[in-house]
Amino acid sequence: MRDRLAALCPEQKGESAVTTFHGLGLRILREHHAAAGLPAQFGVADEAARLAAATELTGSDRDARKLLAAVPEDPDTKQALRRHLAARDLVDFDSLVELSAALVGEHPAIAAGLRARWPRISVDEYQDIDPVQYALLRSLAADGTGLTAIGDPDQSIYGFRGADVGIFSRFAAGFPGATTVELTQNYRSAPAIVTAAMQAIAPTTLVPARKATPTQAATPTQAATPTQAPAAAQDPAVTFHEAPDEHAEAAWIAAAIDQLLGGASFHSLDSGRADGHAHGKLGLADIAVLYRTDAQATPLGQALTRAGLPYQKRSHDLLARRAGVPDIIREMRLETPATGDARQRLRTAVRALAATRGERDASVIDIRAAGELLTPLARRCGPDLDRFRTEISLGAEPDALDPRAEAITLLTLHATKGLEFDVVFLAGCEKGLLPLRLPGAEPDIAEERRLLFVGLTRARAKLLLTCATRRTRYGADRLAGRSPFLTAIDPALLGPPAAPQRPRKPADRQLRLL
């Protein structure tokens, strides 16, 4: 976003504030710390600091973890932890928005000064804001003059974080002078993909009379309208494949990717798994594999590794909560603050941890993976180590993805927002995963369907849906099969899978010299 704004408005480079609600809250509290009752140099508590504070409150590490798990549902526990952190000049992640919203709401002069600084406010993904974020926005936007909200209620997928899609539907009531502009043209996806997505969301859509007109020209294998599915073709834009289990599903995806790439290795060509015809037309970075739960990534990653296909993986979790990240941050703090930027310090910390623990220690795998995950962020932060640590506390894992990496992207469905790829595999389109059913809990069917809709609409040219007949979950082998959500899609639209096949070899064999 910053790069796009700089390109569009070079004369205003650096003048626009581009941040998250939590980043905005941090900026406001830094500038008005005295009014908020905070010291000038207050810090943002990371996971290690929260655990340490909880341990002091409870007396044991085990009870501390129980306390932290109870914080989201227990206001008294939340306040006790926050008071304990405040005594150490720390503010936790959620407090950044809550404290700044309270500050701006209680100090009209501060609110007026902020409104004068930012007369125009644009909020992306408006369907995912929560009541506290809305309160802060109302204080900054006043009557809404200069406010633009962009969003799609059918892509509201963060209810588990407190997001309230009803705020989107109440926008016109909250800002009576608002003008609504409906964007009905789809510039991303092939017509058949648009059709499949529209059919999938139709049973629970929050957009009355929803329309989507694809702007891409339909090829003979993709011809379709938003209401009519194309006939099955040899290479359709949308396919469905059911595998015996999750390992067979992962192996099929790896082989299909290899074939789409035209053979990622000489072994692929020599074994007949790929024929090389597509070589150069598609790159690793053009392909994503999406899934509902992070546990699905293990067999997928193993299959890609066996096939010699590099990948980068991410989820929607906060960076600070990813395995290995807290260890690296602690190690970076132990280093003497002599020389080197964030990237150099990161490398040094990873090497030191690996050397101390030994390469045979299982945790070193997480350390190295976390180091790769943090590298793009460290590169952006340069010599500003404080910014590096703060952004880890503020940012979600998707912010660490390196778009320049020549690797397949593995993503949870929640982490796909705002992204698009030429080819998308959506693994685990099956019962128990879409919608996700957890022991002792009923899924929000409408939000789960919206999550599928988000995944489907990430694909530009080709969408491959897969599922497993049986899958191991919670230590038991369970029957799965295709997701009930897929019944909303016309069966004729789900073309036959382009199963990896051994290409025909010419009668005269050629000698390949290496």
Side-chain angles (χ1 to χ4, degrees):
M1 182 64 76
R2 292 187 183 94
D3 292 341
R4 290 180 180 179
L5 286 173
L8 289 170
C9 309
E11 71 284 356
Q12 297 182 5
K13 185 177 181 180
E15 294 184 12
S16 298
V18 181
T19 185
T20 63
F21 271 99
H22 290 88
L24 177 63
L26 177 60
R27 176 179 297 198
I28 292 172
L29 293 175
R30 289 273 188 228
E31 294 180 1
H32 303 281
H33 59 86
L38 296 169
Q41 300 302 318
F42 75 89
V44 180
D46 58 18
E47 290 302 294
R50 293 178 76 244
L51 180 59
T55 302
E56 291 178 4
L57 283 172
T58 62
S60 72
D61 182 82
R62 180 178 179 181
D63 290 338
R65 296 182 186 280
K66 289 181 179 179
L67 182 144
L68 292 178
V71 163
E73 306 297 332
D74 188 339
D76 292 337
T77 299
K78 178 189 293 186
Q79 290 305 317
L81 179 62
R82 288 182 175 178
R83 286 193 297 269
H84 206 69
L85 289 170
R88 287 150 183 77
D89 297 338
L90 293 172
V91 173
D92 68 6
F93 181 72
D94 291 334
S95 293
L96 294 173
V97 180
E98 294 181 19
L99 291 176
S100 58
L103 174 71
V104 175
E106 295 168 3
H107 294 79
I110 293 177
L114 295 173
R115 285 196 292 269
R117 185 197 303 183
W118 298 311
R120 294 180 179 83
I121 300 174
S122 176
V123 184
D124 196 15
E125 305 291 359
Y126 188 78
Q127 75 279 350
D128 286 324
I129 72 171
D130 61 37
V132 179
Q133 293 168 346
Y134 180 71
L136 176 58
L137 179 64
R138 281 307 306 242
S139 295
L140 297 178
D143 63 356
T145 301
L147 173 63
T148 301
I150 307 102
D152 178 358
D154 281 342
Q155 295 190 47
S156 176
I157 58 174
Y158 288 108
F160 68 96
R161 286 184 179 172
D164 180 2
V165 70
I167 294 174
F168 186 100
S169 62
R170 296 191 296 270
F171 184 86
F175 302 99
T179 299
T180 300
V181 178
E182 293 186 10
L183 306 178
T184 60
Q185 288 186 300
N186 183 297
Y187 293 91
R188 175 185 297 158
S189 304
I193 296 173
V194 175
T195 301
M198 291 289 287
Q199 291 177 351
I201 196 61
T204 56
T205 182
L206 296 172
V207 182
R210 185 179 187 112
K211 297 178 182 178
T213 303
T215 58
Q216 283 192 29
T219 66
T221 62
Q222 299 174 351
T225 68
T227 57
Q228 182 180 7
Q234 184 178 358
D235 185 25
V238 184
T239 68
F240 177 78
H241 173 73
E242 183 168 352
D245 57 35
E246 66 267 32
H247 301 289
E249 177 191 44
W252 186 89
I253 289 173
I257 291 174
D258 202 24
Q259 187 177 55
L260 285 168
L261 292 170
S265 66
F266 287 116
H267 173 69
S268 301
L269 300 172
D270 292 338
S271 66
R273 190 168 62 189
D275 58 14
H277 293 325
H279 186 70
K281 297 179 182 178
L282 196 69
L284 292 165
D286 299 320
I287 301 172
V289 182
L290 316 182
Y291 39 83
R292 177 63 180 87
T293 69
D294 204 54
Q296 293 171 252
T298 299
L300 291 167
Q302 292 171 343
L304 293 175
T305 299
R306 284 194 295 269
L309 296 167
Y311 65 89
Q312 57 178 340
K313 173 180 172 291
R314 75 187 203 186
S315 73
H316 59 283
D317 293 329
L318 294 178
L319 273 171
R321 295 173 184 170
R322 180 68 183 267
V325 171
D327 297 317
I328 290 174
I329 300 305
R330 283 194 294 271
E331 181 65 25
M332 290 179 71
R333 285 176 176 161
L334 290 174
E335 294 180 26
T336 55
T339 60
D341 61 12
R343 188 178 181 186
Q344 291 171 328
R345 298 283 289 272
L346 173 63
R347 287 176 175 174
T348 301
V350 171
R351 289 170 182 165
L353 287 168
T356 301
R357 301 184 183 187
E359 291 296 338
R360 294 186 178 182
D361 191 303
S363 67
V364 172
I365 296 176
D366 289 334
I367 295 294
R368 294 197 180 281
E372 293 179 6
L373 187 68
L374 292 171
T375 295
L377 176 61
R379 186 186 298 117
R380 291 199 300 270
C381 292
D384 193 342
L385 291 175
D386 286 338
R387 177 190 168 193
F388 178 69
R389 296 189 186 101
T390 299
E391 290 211 17
I392 289 174
S393 297
L394 293 178
E397 185 173 320
D399 294 333
L401 183 73
D402 188 351
R404 297 174 297 178
E406 187 55 27
I408 297 160
T409 302
L410 267 60
L411 296 154
T412 60
L413 282 169
H414 281 100
T416 64
K417 294 288 286 293
L419 301 177
E420 57 185 69
F421 302 88
D422 285 341
V423 176
V424 167
F425 290 81
L426 210 169
C429 294
E430 64 197 41
K431 298 173 184 175
L433 288 177
L434 278 171
L436 179 64
R437 295 190 178 276
L438 299 173
E442 284 298 316
D444 182 334
I445 298 298
E447 182 161 313
E448 290 287 309
R449 187 179 287 275
R450 294 196 293 267
L451 194 56
L452 172 63
F453 178 68
V454 168
L456 299 178
T457 54
R458 300 308 96 192
R460 287 193 286 255
K462 197 168 185 63
L463 174 66
L464 300 95
L465 311 178
T466 67
C467 81
T469 302
R470 306 188 68 90
R471 184 178 296 270
T472 301
R473 296 186 67 206
Y474 310 114
D477 183 56
R478 304 169 188 271
L479 277 174
R482 69 169 60 193
S483 164
F485 288 164
L486 298 187
T487 59
I489 301 176
D490 189 330
L493 185 61
L494 300 176
Q501 297 177 353
R502 186 182 183 90
R504 294 180 179 179
K505 294 186 176 181
D508 296 329
R509 295 178 181 270
Q510 296 181 349
L511 177 64
R512 184 180 294 117
L513 299 177
L514 305 181

